[in-house]
Amino acid sequence: MTLRLDRLPDRTPVRMSLSVDPELASALSDYAEIYRQTYGAE
């Protein structure tokens, strides 16, 4: 499987609260780390 991550456009942050199951939380954390490694930005 190949994962292609395009650079996200700059946007003004918005604070939100939501609840997700542990599996989705882990997947989002993995995505954030791969994005950080690829583009050097969070």
Side-chain angles (χ1 to χ4, degrees):
M1 178 169 94
T2 301
L3 179 63
R4 179 179 163 89
L5 300 175
D6 290 333
R7 187 166 178 89
L8 297 174
D10 288 336
R11 296 190 178 159
T12 303
V14 176
R15 184 175 298 265
M16 297 177 64
S17 294
L18 62 124
S19 296
V20 297
D21 62 32
E23 186 177 314
L24 177 56
S26 178
L28 290 171
S29 179
D30 292 345
Y31 175 87
E33 179 59 22
I34 292 168
Y35 188 88
R36 186 193 64 74
Q37 289 176 7
T38 302
Y39 296 109
E42 292 184 6

